RNA sequence: GCCCGAGUAGCUCAGACGGCCAGAGCAGGCGCCUUGUAAGCGUCAGGUCGUGGGUUCGAUUCCCACCUCGGGCUCCA
């Protein structure tokens, strides 16, 4: 009997009988692996466990359910089960696409008579899905020609459109398509691979219904989408659901109300926030830090208005390229004004206000500039996606040979700032020229290369996002990971060759000739509001002392300690610390509890012993037990140091 | 913009086959209590039940429209 040689990921080889499948390889390695296997990679291509291996031998890697690829596959398979359930419960429904997504999957349907799903339908559908899982239906792959595919899905217009869209000349399959059949009950057009049987699924939950457009195009049919999450085990599912719950508890919109930080008055309009005094204190601490650092970094502070005439935005190119992101215009005295969507045009005018010499460069203009952008109502999301927000915006004008060192020091500045705010995990994205762009492609290449060099010299890990750049410049977006592992885009850095010629900006070089400056746009927080929102979620509202609106609350044990409490609070305030005190007309425990619910870093307690000894009891947030008899001076020094060093915990 | 869901006190929520003064906890005011580390007691106040129409003898409840908020709107079979 002939054999074939398979090479495993560790480099080892084994002989298998000819005609063996990937599943056989898994079984030959061990029972545990066979049980965990959901699919395999053969010579780098994902295939079903049941697919026969090529007779000439191959490399085989088993994909297990608890790997990213394995979860992807079982989510995809679960989406098929969802489609089967819906087609059975809504006879005549058309089904469109059902891919795996991060943490789960979805499937889009067109229900008969234009019906739509309601939340109550999820239970019914889920119950039917569990029956399908219980039926242990195999996933069986079928290879079809294009015409067979068109015939098989003759009554499914979305599937027909997908098959028609498959390029007949593309790929090894050469115009063929594949389908997966679950017994006689259900068949779906699908490239696969899939788990061997529905019995391999089960740790899933349908989460929500939504509308979605066919192919994401609002001019096409609106479909009904069902989202679900699926995992390799009930334990993993439970962990995910717990994580979702934790994220809900950290939601900055919820904490914003609970901690009295900000709100979005409907009287003002969607996406436009007001900051309350406590939120204002946090924001002020952020902005103070930012200003101090910029001052130290050689930036000069400028201020510009919120409106400008349309001609400015014609010069900058915004009206031509960015009009859909701008607020509508207003007319006054025969001119048309727009709220500014970006600060750059105004900064260009400041540069142009006088002749510049190479000796003036680099010129770094900084502004906490509030901009307004039109965002469709459906995409607004608290402070994270607002219509009015403030950028810690800067434009750096430099000579070509200063570009590299400016970019390198900027990246270092970004990382330092993010670390100060408690973020440790960074990843950058280098976004290159989009389809819709201005300027000379050769200059785009120079700018992109300069950004790449900066990333490499700063040793920041990055990925390239092709075509994701702004219309006027390539950029580096710096992403952070928060306390519960979510990724957020924060800072951005762009190299721009367009604005200088548009505004006819020049500097006189050492050669006494006129030259174009290079311009770097950058924002470290990005949007102060958005950064604030992410900070709330990252810290779950428990801000480190340097940012906390109230750093320490002083409580007397009884109300005859009120004078001492007030004196201690006054002492802290005199030291420049943010402290308050609450009179003792409620039991101490109750007052402690309120302070804890407000997530204050420190609660100080003064009683008879403390009055006598000049000490306080220190109840630190997160500590196991309170400390007694701490001299006031010691506490002041400790909090002072914590604030001055921007200590992350406290 | 479009699909789904939700709007009852400052916050979190209950309630009603259409019918009597619409309830609770927290927060707030006042009083009592005099408290050593996460909820002391009492009392008072607080709501045009999102807005506007319709059905009805009667609507916060049923119907329609609108407003606001939340989730979603290619991660391409």
């Amino acid at each position: 009997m002939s054999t074939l040689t398979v090479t495993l990921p560790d480099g080892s080889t084994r002989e298998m009988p000819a005609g063996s499948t990937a599943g056989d390889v898994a079984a030959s390695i061990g029972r545990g692996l066979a049980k965990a296997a959901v699919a395999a990679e053969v010579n780098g291509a994902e295939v079903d466990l049941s697919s026969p291996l090529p007779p000439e031998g191959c490399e085989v890697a088993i994909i297990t359910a608890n790997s990213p690829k394995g979860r992807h596959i079982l989510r995809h398979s679960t989406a098929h089960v969802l489609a089967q359930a819906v087609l059975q419960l809504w006879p005549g429904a058309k089904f469109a696409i059902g891919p795996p997504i991060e943490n789960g999957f979805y499937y889009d349907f067109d229900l008969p008579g234009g019906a739509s799903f309601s939340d109550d339908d999820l239970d019914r559908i889920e119950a039917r899905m569990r029956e399908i899982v219980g039926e242990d239906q195999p996933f069986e792959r079928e290879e079809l020609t294009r015409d067979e595919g068109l015939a098989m899905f003759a009554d499914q217009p979305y599937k027909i459109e997908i098959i028609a869209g498959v390029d007949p000349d593309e790929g090894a399959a050469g115009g063929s398509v594949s389908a997966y059949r679950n017994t006689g009950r259900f068949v779906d057009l699908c490239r696969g691979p899939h788990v061997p049987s529905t019995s391999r699924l089960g740790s899933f939950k349908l989460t929500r219904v939504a509308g979605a457009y066919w192919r994401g195009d609002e001019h096409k049919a609106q479909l009904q989408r069902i989202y679900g999450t699926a995992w390799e085990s009930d334990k993993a599912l439970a962990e995910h659901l717990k994580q979702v719950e934790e994220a809900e508890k950290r939601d900055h919109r919820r904490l914003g109300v609970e901690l009295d930080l900000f709100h979005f008055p409907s009287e003002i309009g969607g996406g436009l926030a007001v900051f309350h005094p406590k939120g204002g204190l946090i924001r002020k601490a952020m902005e103070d830090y930012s200003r101090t650092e910029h001052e130290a970094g050689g930036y000069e502070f400028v201020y510009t208005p919120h409106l400008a005439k349309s001609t400015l935005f014609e010069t900058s190119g915004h009206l031509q390229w960015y009009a859909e992101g701008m607020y509508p215009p207003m007319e006054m005295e025969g001119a048309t004004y727009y709220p500014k969507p970006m600060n750059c045009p105004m900064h260009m005018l400041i540069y142009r206000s006088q002749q510049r010499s190479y000796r003036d460069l680099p010129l770094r203009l900084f502004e906490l500039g509030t901009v307004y952008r039109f965002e469709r109502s459906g995409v607004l999301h608290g402070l994270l996606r607002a219509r009015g927000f403030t950028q810690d915006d800067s434009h750096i004008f430099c000579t070509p040979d200063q570009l590299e060192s400016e970019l390198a020091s900027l990246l270092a500045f970004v990382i330092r700032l993010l670390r100060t705010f408690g973020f440790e995990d960074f990843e950058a994205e280098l976004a290159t020229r989009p389809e819709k762009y201005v300027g000379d492609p050769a200059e785009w290449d120079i700018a992109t290369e300069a950004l790449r060099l900066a990333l490499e010299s700063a040793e920041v890990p990055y990925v390239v996002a092709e075509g994701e750049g702004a219309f006027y410049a390539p950029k580096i977006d710096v992403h952070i990971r928060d306390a519960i592992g979510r990724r957020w885009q924060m800072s951005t850095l762009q190299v721009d060759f367009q604005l200088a010629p548009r505004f006819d900006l020049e500097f006189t070089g050492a050669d006494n000739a006129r030259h174009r400056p290079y311009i770097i746009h950058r924002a470290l927080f990005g949007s102060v509001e958005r950064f604030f929102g992410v900070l709330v979620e990252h810290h779950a509202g428990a801000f480190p002392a340097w940012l906390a609106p109230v750093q320490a609350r002083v409580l007397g044990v009884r109300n005859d300690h009120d004078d001492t409490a007030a004196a201690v609070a006054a002492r802290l305030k005199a030291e420049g610390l943010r402290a308050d005190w609450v009179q003792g007309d409620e039991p101490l425990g109750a007052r402690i509890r309120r302070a804890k619910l407000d997530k204050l870093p420190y609660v100080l307690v003064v009683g008879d012993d403390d009055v006598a000894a000049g000490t306080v009891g220190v109840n630190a947030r997160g500590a196991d037990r309170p400390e007694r008899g701490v001299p006031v001076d010691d506490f002041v020094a400790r909090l002072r140091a914590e604030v001055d060093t921007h200590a992350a915990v406290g």
Side-chain angles (χ1 to χ4, degrees):
Chain A
M1 185 169 156
S2 64
T3 61
L4 57 86
T5 305
V6 303
T7 308
L8 299 173
D10 64 0
S12 68
T13 60
R14 70 176 57 210
E15 297 297 315
M16 299 292 296
S20 292
T21 65
D24 294 333
V25 174
S28 78
I29 296 171
R31 286 190 55 174
L33 185 64
K35 207 170 159 221
V38 291
E41 274 183 280
V42 173
N43 292 334
E46 293 188 13
V47 300
D48 295 314
L49 287 174
S50 60
S51 72
L53 300 175
E56 67 275 18
C58 54
E59 291 180 8
V60 175
I62 304 300
I63 299 174
T64 57
N66 63 355
S67 69
K69 282 178 183 166
R71 290 193 188 106
H72 208 70
I73 289 163
L74 64 91
R75 284 165 187 158
H76 195 176
S77 298
T78 308
H80 278 225
V81 173
L82 166 61
Q84 180 179 161
V86 169
L87 261 55
Q88 286 167 5
L89 293 169
W90 278 267
K94 309 300 180 204
F95 58 139
I97 58 170
I101 54 174
E102 190 179 359
N103 296 332
F105 58 90
Y106 67 80
Y107 217 112
D108 287 346
F109 302 93
D110 189 351
L111 296 183
S116 53
F117 294 119
S118 73
D119 287 345
D120 300 333
D121 293 327
L122 293 183
D123 290 341
R124 291 169 58 205
I125 297 167
E126 206 174 299
R128 180 67 200 118
M129 287 173 71
R130 299 210 182 279
E131 288 171 24
I132 293 166
V133 167
E135 285 166 13
D136 192 12
Q137 301 177 4
F139 278 86
E140 287 169 334
R141 183 182 177 92
E142 293 178 11
E143 302 286 346
L144 307 168
T145 65
R146 220 173 120 88
D147 290 342
E148 286 168 342
L150 290 170
M152 176 180 277
F153 294 101
D155 59 343
Q156 289 292 341
Y158 300 101
K159 299 298 176 188
I160 295 290
E161 198 176 321
I162 294 164
I163 296 170
V166 172
D167 186 341
D169 299 327
E170 197 178 71
S176 73
V177 296
S178 57
Y180 278 77
R181 185 177 289 282
N182 296 116
T183 71
R185 292 166 169 277
F186 178 75
V187 61
D188 192 1
L189 182 70
C190 186
R191 135 192 335 149
H194 279 285
V195 298
S197 159
T198 58
S199 64
R200 293 300 311 274
L201 310 171
S203 300
F204 65 85
K205 184 176 175 0
L206 299 183
T207 50
R208 60 177 71 95
V209 302
Y213 297 100
W214 172 233
R215 305 251 194 223
D217 181 343
E218 63 187 274
H219 302 297
K220 292 187 172 157
Q222 170 118 30
L223 304 176
Q224 292 292 311
R225 175 171 297 181
I226 293 179
Y227 281 92
T229 184
W231 297 82
E232 68 275 14
S233 66
D234 287 348
K235 190 173 165 230
L237 173 63
E239 275 170 20
H240 173 252
L241 294 176
K242 201 177 155 196
Q243 160 110 357
V244 168
E245 205 179 304
E246 175 63 26
E248 278 168 14
K249 268 194 275 182
R250 287 171 177 257
D251 190 311
H252 74 285
R253 293 165 301 180
R254 174 193 177 122
L255 288 170
V257 173
E258 281 177 12
L259 299 177
D260 193 20
L261 304 178
F262 61 86
H263 85 290
F264 288 87
S266 59
E267 292 86 342
I268 294 179
L272 299 166
V274 293
F275 280 71
H276 301 192
K278 285 181 192 164
L281 266 173
I282 295 166
R283 182 168 173 167
K284 180 173 178 295
M286 292 168 60
E287 294 181 354
D288 286 350
Y289 171 79
S290 169
R291 287 199 174 94
T292 305
E293 290 294 306
H294 279 91
E295 199 166 6
Y299 288 76
E300 299 179 80
F301 292 16
V302 299
Y303 296 86
T304 66
H306 292 199
L307 302 174
K309 287 194 282 198
S310 55
T311 46
L312 178 68
F313 298 115
E314 281 161 16
T315 303
S316 68
H318 285 91
L319 275 175
Q320 186 186 352
W321 298 95
Y322 194 72
E324 74 278 13
M326 292 172 67
Y327 263 64
M330 54 194 114
E331 301 292 330
M332 191 172 70
E333 293 181 335
T336 305
Y337 287 77
Y338 284 89
K340 64 174 171 181
M342 297 184 195
N343 301 301
C344 20
M346 313 250 182
H347 290 190
M348 299 304 120
L349 299 178
I350 295 171
Y351 180 93
R352 203 172 65 179
S353 65
Q354 56 180 265
Q355 275 207 346
R356 304 289 178 179
S357 149
Y358 72 99
R359 295 172 190 276
D360 298 330
L361 305 184
L363 177 69
R364 308 183 186 94
L365 302 183
F366 172 77
E367 175 178 20
L368 286 165
T370 302
V371 299
Y372 296 90
R373 296 184 184 174
F374 174 71
E375 300 279 0
R376 296 194 303 170
S377 58
V379 308
L380 297 175
H381 186 85
L383 295 175
L384 303 184
R385 190 83 178 264
R387 283 183 175 157
F389 55 94
T390 303
Q391 295 180 305
D392 58 333
D393 204 0
S394 188
H395 294 91
I396 297 168
F397 303 83
C398 65
T399 66
D401 55 358
Q402 288 168 339
L403 183 64
E404 202 179 317
S405 67
E406 278 301 306
L407 287 175
S409 71
L410 264 174
L411 260 182
F413 191 174
V414 168
I415 300 300
R416 189 166 73 244
L417 175 128
L418 294 175
R419 286 218 165 95
T420 301
F421 282 90
F423 301 110
E424 290 296 337
D425 208 351
F426 316 106
E427 190 181 278
E429 214 164 72
L430 177 60
T432 60
R433 193 176 70 232
E435 282 179 32
K436 217 178 146 187
Y437 71 98
V438 289
D440 176 357
E443 290 189 327
W444 275 83
D445 292 345
I446 296 171
T448 307
E449 202 44 39
L451 290 170
R452 186 195 304 275
L453 271 172
L455 282 168
E456 283 176 3
S457 69
E459 295 182 356
V460 177
Y462 71 97
V463 296
V464 175
E466 294 291 346
E468 298 288 313
F471 71 84
Y472 52 86
K475 58 178 181 171
I476 292 173
D477 286 330
V478 180
H479 295 73
I480 54 98
R481 220 168 262 285
D482 74 6
I484 56 172
R486 293 171 303 177
R487 205 156 170 261
W488 304 94
Q489 191 219 305
M490 304 268 88
S491 317
T492 180
L493 234 118
Q494 307 168 350
V495 176
D496 186 326
F497 293 149
Q498 318 311 323
L499 277 174
R502 280 182 169 272
F503 281 87
D504 197 22
L505 305 187
E506 298 178 327
F507 67 90
T508 307
D511 57 359
N512 200 30
R514 301 289 175 92
H515 302 274
R516 290 273 182 234
Y518 280 7
I519 295 169
I520 305 168
H521 305 247
R522 43 105 289 179
L524 306 184
F525 291 137
S527 144
V528 176
E529 286 81 354
R530 180 181 151 82
F531 198 92
F532 184 105
V534 172
L535 264 188
V536 171
E537 304 212 356
H538 178 61
H539 293 296
F543 287 92
W546 74 281
L547 289 168
V550 176
Q551 294 163 335
R553 171 162 300 159
V554 191
L555 305 174
V557 173
R558 295 185 311 271
N559 60 10
D560 52 324
H561 300 120
D562 283 354
D563 288 349
T564 311
V568 171
R571 165 78 199 284
L572 293 170
K573 281 192 212 172
E575 302 280 352
L577 299 167
R578 296 189 287 269
D580 63 8
W581 67 281
V582 172
Q583 22 180 347
D585 49 9
E586 261 188 316
L588 182 63
R591 286 175 287 147
I592 300 261
R593 181 167 190 273
R594 284 169 205 270
K596 294 290 181 188
L597 291 176
D598 283 344
K599 301 178 190 269
L600 304 187
Y602 288 101
V603 181
L604 305 182
V605 174
V606 290
D608 293 333
D609 303 345
D610 301 295
V611 172
T615 59
V616 291
V618 177
N619 186 328
R621 183 178 62 204
D624 293 340
R625 55 181 59 239
E627 303 156 55
R628 289 285 298 272
V630 177
V632 176
D633 288 343
D634 291 4
F635 178 76
V636 166
R638 169 171 161 188
L639 180 54
R640 178 83 266 159
E642 206 175 302
V643 170
D644 290 346
T645 60
H646 307 117
V649 287

